Amino acid sequence: MRFGILGPLEVRTDDGRPVDPGGPRPRALLTLLLLDAGRTVSAERLVDGLYGTRPPAGAANALQSQVSRLRRRLAPHTGIEATPAGYRILTAPDTVDAHLFEQLAAQARAVAADPRQAAARLADALALWRGPALSDLPDARAEAARLEELRLSALQDRIEADLALGGGPGLVPELRTLLAAHPLSERLYGQLMRALWADGRPAEALRAYEEARRTLADELGADPSPELAALHLELLQGAEPGRPRLPVQLTRFVGREPELARIAALLTDSRLVTLTGPGGAGKTRLAIEAAAALDSPAPCFVELAPVTDGGRIAYAVLAALGMRDGFRSPATDVTDRLPAVLEDRELLLVLDNCEHLVEDAARLASLLLSTCPGVRILATSRESLGITGEVLVPVPPLPPEPAVRLFLDRARAVRPDFVGHARVADVCAALDGLPLAIELAAARLRTLTPDELADRLDDRFRLLSRGDRSKAPRHRTLRAVVEWSWDLLDEEERELARRLTVFSGGATLEAVEAVCGLPYPEDVLASLVEKSFLEVSEGRYRMLETIRAFVAREAPDLGDAHAAYFLRLAERAEPHLRGAEQLPWLARLAAESADLDTALRHLVRHDPAGALRLVGPLSWFWRLRGVHGERVATARELLAAAGEEPPPGLEEEYVLCAISALSGAGEEPELIARVDDVLAAYRGPLRLPYVLVLWAVAAGPRPAADDHALALAGGSPWAHALLDVGLGFRAQFAGRPREAEEFFTRALHAFRATGDRWGLANCLDPLGMFAHTRGETGRALELLDEGLAHVRELAAPEETADLLRTRGIVLLHRGDAAGAEGHFEEALTLARGAGLPDKVAAARRGLGDVARLSGDTARARVQYEDALRECAANWFSVGETVRALIGLGRTAAAEGHTEEAVDWFRQAAGLAVEGPGDLELADAAEALASVAVPERAAELLGAAAALRGAGNAFDPDVVRTERHARAELPARAYDKAFEQGRALRSAAVSER
C-alpha cells in the first residue's frame, strides 16, 4: 500500500485504488503509526495522540478496539502487529510520503555538487506534498512543524540548484511569495537578490537587501548576517554574485570547533598564523573554513602544491588575485610587483601546502607582511615557516567523537541508508583520527561491510588507494600523502624514523637513546617533530600508527634492544610500586604499557626466561591497574615455552605467569596443582612478596601453614603487612571477626608506615564494615572514604568498585537508598569497563537489594538474574552466586511466593558449603530463617551468629526476621532456640 500524510491522510493500494481508513479517530491512529512506519509505537504514545491529556477510563481497551477496527479496514493489504511495547504497522518507511520525502531530500544533499541531479530529486520530493502535513493529527504540532521546516529547506535547496543552472529570472515570483510567508529568512533574501541580478534588475536586487535589513532590524533588532552583507557588497562592486574567493567545498565540514575558534581569535591580533600537522590531518579544509568564517579581510586562496619552483610562488599569488598579465614578467619583477599590488589592500592570503617550498614561502611571507600592512597570512604546512611574528596552530588528528561523525557523514554519501556500526569507532581509532584516511575508508563502504573494512586495515595502504580523482595525486591516496612527507625528510631523519617504529606507544628521550643506538638524537627528534612526522607531549615522542606502518617496511630489527630496555625499566619500577612512590611509577608504566606488552611478546617468542623475568615485576602493576586478566593467551604461550618446571631462580616469576594464565573459570586443576607444588617447595624469603596474595586471589585460599607463609615473607615490613591482610580475610571467612579486625588493624599501621595506598585501602574496606556491624556507621564511612581516596589516586578499578559497593551497603542499611544506588551504579560502570564479571555481579546484586527494599520487586528480580549470569565458575564467585540466589528468594517472598523463596534459599545453602568460608552459610541460614516457623527461625539465626562469629543487627532483612520471631515466641523460648542454633554445623544448614 501507499500512504500519504503530507496533506489529508490518503491510503491507496499498490494498483492505485483508494482505501477508507474510517473516521477521525482511526485516521489519527493510522497517522501516528505511519510516523514511525516499521517501528513499534508505544501504547502510551498512541493513547496520548488519540485522547490527549484526558484519556477515557479503560483507554488501553479503547486503543485495542481502535486498532482492531483499523486492522479490518487495511486488510488484506497491510497488517498491524501487537508487540510487548505497543503496535507496529507492517509497511516499509518508503511507502509513506513523509519518509520518502526525507529520503529524497537527503539524496539531493548528497549530490549537491551536481545541481541538475539535486534539482530533480528535490522536485520529486516536493511533489509529494498535497497540503499541510499531518492534517488528520491536529495535536502533533511539533512533528508537523518539523516537516514544514524540512519542506521549506527543500524548497530553498531546489531554488539554489535552479540558480546554479541559470534559472534565476523565473524564480522571482516564487521567492517573493515565500518571503511573504517567511519574512525573516536571510537565505531567501539572498536568493531573491541573486535571482533579480540574473534577471538584469540590479537596482531591485539592492532594494531587496535594504528590505531585508529593515525587516531584521524592526523584528529582531539585528543586522544582516556577514554572508548577506558580503553578497550586498559584491553587488555594489558590480561583481558577479557568488563568485568564489575560496575553493567551494562539496562536503560538510565536521568537527574542529576548538581550532576554528583559536584561529579566529589569533587572526584578530596576529598577521601570520600557520596551521601545522601531519599529512591528511585536514589543514587545507580547516584553513578554508576558518577564512570563510571571518568577517574581514577578504580571503584569497593560493594553492602551492603544484608549484615546484619557489621563485614562482609570487606568480601563484597573482594568479589567485586574477592578475595573470604578470606572468609575462621576469620572476624578480613579479616579486617586486606583488607588494605594490597589495600595499593598499585589506586581504587574508591563504598560502596552502608550503612544506616543500618552506624557505621561499617564508621569504615571500616576510616581504608581504613587512610592506603591506593590510595583509594577513594564514598558511598551512607540515612545518612552520620559522619567521618572526608567526603563531602556530597544531592540527592534530580528530578526537574520537568528531572522527566518528566525519565517518558517518562521508559514509552516507555512498550509502544513504547507513546508520552506523559498532566498529566505526575502532576504524577511526586505527586510522589515527586522520580525516583523509577516514574519508577514504568511509568511501569503501560502497563495496565493503563495516566488518570487512575493519578487518582489512592491517593493509591500510592497499585498502585506501581509491581517492578523489579531482584531487592532486599526492592527496588522492593514503600512501601518497605519507610518501609526500617521507620525501621531505633527509637521510638522517629517515634513519631515526625507521628505528622509532620499534616503539608501539611512543618513547621518551631516554628510551630512544637506549634502543635506537644513534648518538645525540635530540636535534633529529626536534626536526621530525617540526616536520609533523612525530608528535611530542610531556616528553614522549609518538609516531602516528599510519606513519609507523609506512616506515616500518624498511626498519632494522631492534626487538632485542627494545625488550632489554623495557625489562630493565620494569625491574627498576617494581619496588617503587609498593610504597609512597606508587603514583609516579604507576603513571610511568601506564605510559609505557603498549611497549611493555610488545617487549613481552618478543621475549615469549625469543627468550622465555627473559619473558618470565618481565612478567614478575609487571604482575603487581597489572593487579593495581585492573588489567591482570588481559594477558591470558600470552601467559599460556609463555608457560608452554617455559615447560613443566620453572627455570632455576625464576620460581616466583613462573607462579606469577601461571596466575596470568588462569582464566578464572576454574578449569585448570592441573596447573593449580603444579603451582601449589612449586610454592610448597619454595624456601623464602620471596623477592616478589605479592606472589602469595595474587595466587590466593586467582586459585582460592590455600591451606599453607602459617610458619611457611612467615618464612616466605622474610623481613620485609610490606610483606608482613600483606600476610596480615591474608590472615585477616582467612579469619573473617572462618567467622572470627575480632581476630580478623586485629590482623587488618596491624596491617593498616604497617601500610601507613610504607605509604602504600593499595594496602591501606584493602585494610580500610573490611575495617569499615566491622565498624558498621558495631553500629559505628559514621566511623565506617570515614574509613571507607579514606580507602576510596587512595584507590582513586591509584586508578585501581577493582578495589574502587569494591569500596563503592561496601559504602553502598552501609548507606542502604541506614536507609539512604538513593545514595546506595548511585554507589552501586558507579561500581557497575567501573567493573564493566575493567572486565571484572564478579564485581559486575556484586554491583548488580546491590542494585537488586536497593530495588527490593524500595518495593520494586520486578526490577530487583532482573538485577539478581543479571548478577547470576555474570558469576563465573570460580571460587570467588561462590559468595556472589549465593547472595544473588538469596536475593531472588527474598524477592519471591516479598511477592508472596513462599515456596519459590524456600527453593531459592535451599539452592543458596547447598552452594554455600562450597564457599571459601562460613559467611555464605551464615547468609543462607538467615535467609532460611525468614521463611521458617518462629522457633526454627530463632535456631537458624543462632546458627548464623555462630558461623559469622557475631550478630547481624545492621542488615534490615535479618532485623525484620528477628523481630518477627521474637514477637511470636516468649523471650525464654526464643533464647533457648537461638542457643540451640549456635550449636548447629554447616551440614545441618545445607540439609535445610
Side-chain angles (χ1 to χ4, degrees):
M1 299 187 81
R2 295 286 166 180
F3 302 89
I5 57 177
L6 298 179
L9 178 65
E10 182 180 78
V11 184
R12 291 184 180 275
T13 62
D14 288 338
D15 59 4
R17 288 182 293 109
V19 175
D20 181 11
R25 196 144 282 160
R27 298 173 75 85
L29 173 61
L30 180 55
T31 303
L32 285 166
L33 292 169
L34 291 172
L35 280 171
D36 282 293
R39 296 197 300 265
T40 296
V41 184
S42 70
E44 292 81 4
R45 184 178 170 195
L46 293 173
V47 169
D48 288 345
L50 290 176
Y51 303 109
T53 57
R54 294 187 175 181
N61 292 332
L63 172 63
Q64 191 174 14
S65 298
Q66 293 286 355
V67 170
S68 297
R69 284 194 288 271
L70 184 58
R71 264 199 200 107
R72 289 193 294 272
R73 293 269 186 171
L74 298 180
H77 307 288
T78 298
I80 299 174
E81 178 185 61
T83 73
Y87 296 90
R88 177 177 61 178
I89 188 165
L90 301 177
T91 190
D94 61 4
T95 64
V96 184
D97 58 6
H99 300 298
L100 183 58
F101 164 76
E102 293 196 49
Q103 290 176 18
L104 290 169
Q107 291 172 13
R109 287 193 295 274
V111 296
D114 185 340
R116 199 170 302 280
Q117 284 193 56
R121 283 176 168 79
L122 289 165
D124 291 342
L126 292 165
L128 296 169
W129 286 75
R130 296 169 291 101
L134 312 182
S135 56
D136 290 272
L137 198 62
D139 290 334
R141 297 182 185 87
E143 184 62 21
R146 185 186 74 84
L147 289 168
E148 293 289 347
E149 195 170 298
L150 290 174
R151 181 187 191 185
L152 176 61
S153 178
L155 276 168
Q156 293 172 319
D157 289 345
R158 197 221 73 219
I159 291 169
E160 194 69 37
D162 286 345
L163 284 169
L165 294 169
L171 296 171
V172 172
E174 180 182 9
L175 283 164
R176 290 201 182 279
T177 300
L178 286 170
L179 272 169
H182 306 280
L184 300 179
S185 171
E186 292 194 59
R187 187 181 183 192
L188 288 173
Y189 275 115
Q191 290 175 332
L192 176 61
M193 291 162 64
R194 290 161 60 196
L196 288 166
W197 185 277
D199 198 24
R201 298 148 72 180
E204 289 184 57
L206 295 173
R207 282 200 298 273
Y209 175 80
E210 290 303 318
E211 179 185 343
R213 186 182 59 77
R214 283 195 304 274
T215 302
L216 292 170
D218 292 344
E219 297 294 328
L220 302 177
D223 293 326
S225 67
E227 293 81 6
L228 197 62
L231 174 60
H232 178 240
L233 180 61
E234 288 181 6
L235 298 183
L236 284 173
Q237 294 172 342
E240 180 183 348
R243 175 179 176 271
R245 297 174 179 270
L246 291 167
V248 176
Q249 302 304 297
L250 305 182
T251 56
R252 191 167 65 92
F253 187 63
V254 177
R256 298 297 189 200
E257 290 83 4
E259 288 86 355
L260 281 172
R262 183 161 185 243
I263 294 166
L266 288 173
L267 283 173
T268 60
D269 299 319
S270 304
R271 295 181 57 217
L272 173 59
V273 175
T274 302
L275 312 186
T276 62
K283 300 182 294 296
T284 297
R285 182 65 186 271
L286 176 59
I288 291 170
E289 296 294 330
L294 293 176
D295 294 339
S296 62
C300 176
F301 185 82
V302 185
E303 170 59 86
L304 297 182
V307 180
T308 58
D309 178 0
R312 299 191 64 84
I313 297 177
Y315 286 107
V317 176
L318 284 171
L321 292 168
M323 301 177 183
R324 297 184 178 274
D325 59 320
F327 286 11
R328 295 190 293 271
S329 305
T332 52
D333 292 344
V334 172
T335 304
D336 291 340
R337 182 183 172 212
L338 189 56
V341 170
L342 297 177
E343 62 182 351
D344 295 324
R345 294 184 64 169
E346 295 283 332
L347 184 72
L348 175 65
L349 204 57
V350 182
L351 297 179
D352 188 44
N353 292 304
C354 298
E355 56 272 350
H356 62 304
L357 306 168
V358 66
E359 292 187 3
D360 294 293
R363 278 193 290 271
L364 183 66
S366 180
L367 173 66
L368 294 179
L369 293 172
S370 62
T371 56
C372 307
V375 170
R376 296 175 186 272
I377 295 176
L378 178 61
T380 75
S381 178
R382 298 187 194 183
E383 64 177 302
S384 66
L385 301 186
I387 60 179
T388 303
E390 180 182 31
V391 179
L392 300 181
V393 177
V395 182
L398 284 171
E401 189 272 334
V404 169
R405 279 197 285 127
L406 177 65
F407 186 97
L408 295 176
D409 184 83
R410 301 306 191 254
R412 287 168 186 148
V414 297
R415 279 181 54 184
D417 60 339
F418 186 69
V419 295
H421 191 274
R423 298 188 72 180
V424 167
D426 295 335
V427 168
C428 294
L431 295 174
D432 301 301
L434 288 173
L436 174 65
I438 291 170
E439 291 181 338
L440 291 172
R444 292 309 301 260
L445 290 186
R446 185 183 291 109
T447 55
L448 297 177
T449 68
D451 284 322
E452 290 170 338
L453 175 65
D455 291 341
R456 285 164 170 75
L457 284 180
D458 286 343
D459 193 7
R460 67 188 66 200
F461 295 110
R462 182 195 61 78
L463 183 69
L464 307 182
S465 60
R466 299 169 63 88
D468 186 341
R469 295 188 183 95
S470 68
K471 296 285 182 68
R474 69 180 185 83
H475 283 153
R476 204 170 289 171
T477 70
L478 188 61
R479 178 181 295 280
V481 167
V482 182
E483 277 181 337
W484 173 265
S485 296
W486 181 250
D487 291 342
L488 295 175
L489 304 182
D490 62 33
E491 187 52 40
E492 188 179 22
E493 292 164 343
R494 291 180 189 173
E495 181 58 30
L496 181 55
R498 293 186 190 102
R499 292 172 179 256
L500 288 172
T501 61
V502 73
F503 295 102
S504 305
T508 62
L509 177 59
E510 173 193 311
V512 174
E513 289 175 325
V515 175
C516 292
L518 296 176
Y520 311 114
E522 298 96 321
D523 290 343
V524 186
L525 284 170
S527 181
L528 288 171
V529 171
E530 289 169 2
K531 294 183 178 181
S532 302
F533 219 78
L534 291 179
E535 299 173 335
V536 61
S537 176
E538 298 180 354
R540 294 186 65 80
Y541 297 90
R542 179 179 175 270
M543 189 178 285
L544 292 180
E545 190 58 32
T546 296
I547 295 176
R548 183 168 173 258
F550 178 87
V551 179
R553 303 165 305 162
E554 305 172 9
D557 185 0
L558 298 177
D560 289 344
H562 176 271
Y565 171 78
F566 283 100
L567 174 57
R568 291 194 302 272
L569 175 65
E571 289 174 337
R572 179 155 50 107
E574 188 276 328
H576 299 289
L577 299 179
R578 295 182 274 118
E581 296 179 295
Q582 281 174 317
L583 297 183
W585 281 98
L586 276 172
R588 175 74 185 275
L589 292 184
E592 306 288 8
S593 178
D595 280 284
L596 288 164
D597 286 347
T598 298
L600 179 58
R601 288 191 296 271
H602 176 85
L603 290 170
V604 168
R605 292 191 300 271
H606 301 287
D607 179 10
L612 285 172
R613 287 177 57 205
L614 182 55
V615 164
L618 286 183
S619 294
W620 194 240
F621 165 68
W622 294 337
R623 172 70 198 185
L624 291 178
R625 281 301 165 91
V627 296
H628 49 286
E630 296 178 6
R631 290 161 181 82
V632 173
T634 303
R636 289 181 175 177
E637 184 182 353
L638 176 52
L639 278 182
E644 296 289 320
E645 299 291 332
L650 294 177
E651 291 85 358
E652 296 174 51
E653 289 82 356
Y654 189 86
V655 171
L656 291 167
C657 183
I659 291 169
S660 293
L662 291 172
S663 68
E667 79 284 14
E668 302 100 345
E670 185 278 329
L671 177 57
I672 291 174
R674 192 195 322 165
V675 174
D676 276 337
D677 291 342
V678 172
L679 285 172
Y682 190 78
R683 295 296 173 260
L686 293 168
R687 291 174 289 103
L688 303 171
Y690 39 81
V691 169
L692 286 181
V693 70
L694 292 184
W695 182 240
V697 170
R702 316 315 292 157
D706 289 350
D707 56 351
H708 186 212
L710 283 168
L712 293 177
S716 163
W718 190 91
H720 278 278
L722 190 61
L723 178 61
D724 279 340
V725 170
L727 294 172
F729 279 117
R730 193 165 72 182
Q732 184 181 10
F733 292 157
R736 302 194 301 273
R738 184 173 300 175
E739 181 183 339
E741 189 167 12
E742 290 174 358
F743 279 123
F744 286 125
T745 301
R746 188 166 70 190
L748 180 71
H749 294 315
F751 282 129
R752 285 203 193 282
T754 65
D756 186 283
R757 295 165 179 81
W758 179 90
L760 288 170
N762 276 274
C763 296
L764 290 163
D765 189 348
L767 287 172
M769 207 60 190
F770 287 136
H772 177 52
T773 60
R774 290 194 299 271
E776 301 171 7
T777 301
R779 175 60 178 159
L781 292 174
E782 288 177 9
L783 294 170
L784 295 172
D785 286 342
E786 183 189 347
L788 275 169
H790 292 315
V791 292
R792 281 178 166 147
E793 278 189 306
L794 292 172
E798 184 165 352
E799 283 74 18
T800 307
D802 280 341
L803 278 152
L804 284 167
R805 184 198 61 200
T806 304
R807 198 176 193 279
I809 291 170
V810 174
L811 292 176
L812 182 61
H813 288 170
R814 75 171 190 178
D816 184 0
E821 184 172 23
H823 280 57
F824 293 136
E825 287 284 5
E826 188 179 348
L828 176 63
T829 300
L830 271 174
R832 195 158 33 194
L836 302 166
D838 59 309
K839 307 302 178 186
V840 171
R844 287 208 175 278
R845 179 177 57 80
L847 290 169
D849 289 343
V850 172
R852 178 175 56 79
L853 292 172
S854 301
D856 190 346
T857 54
R859 186 158 63 95
R861 186 181 297 277
V862 170
Q863 294 289 1
Y864 291 136
E865 288 172 347
D866 286 346
L868 274 181
R869 279 191 286 272
E870 293 287 348
C871 290
N874 52 45
W875 74 269
F876 46 83
S877 281
V878 170
E880 284 308 322
T881 305
V882 167
R883 293 180 182 98
L885 292 169
I886 290 172
L888 285 168
R890 291 194 184 280
T891 302
E895 293 172 340
H897 308 307
T898 305
E899 289 186 8
E900 180 188 346
V902 171
D903 182 58
W904 287 118
F905 294 154
R906 284 175 173 166
Q907 287 186 54
L911 182 61
V913 177
E914 303 174 16
D918 293 338
L919 298 184
E920 291 78 14
L921 283 166
D923 290 335
E926 290 162 348
L928 284 164
S930 69
V931 291
V933 297
E935 187 173 354
R936 183 59 175 157
E939 271 188 354
L940 288 166
L941 290 175
L947 290 164
R948 200 181 294 283
N952 195 358
F954 60 91
D955 187 327
D957 290 311
V958 178
V959 170
R960 189 181 308 113
T961 301
E962 181 183 350
R963 285 176 179 168
H964 177 72
R966 286 186 180 277
E968 295 294 321
L969 292 173
R972 183 175 298 175
Y974 178 90
D975 292 341
K976 180 181 178 181
F978 186 87
E979 289 304 320
Q980 287 174 343
R982 290 178 67 89
L984 287 176
R985 302 306 304 159
S986 59
V989 177
S990 62
E991 288 172 7
R992 198 58 196 142

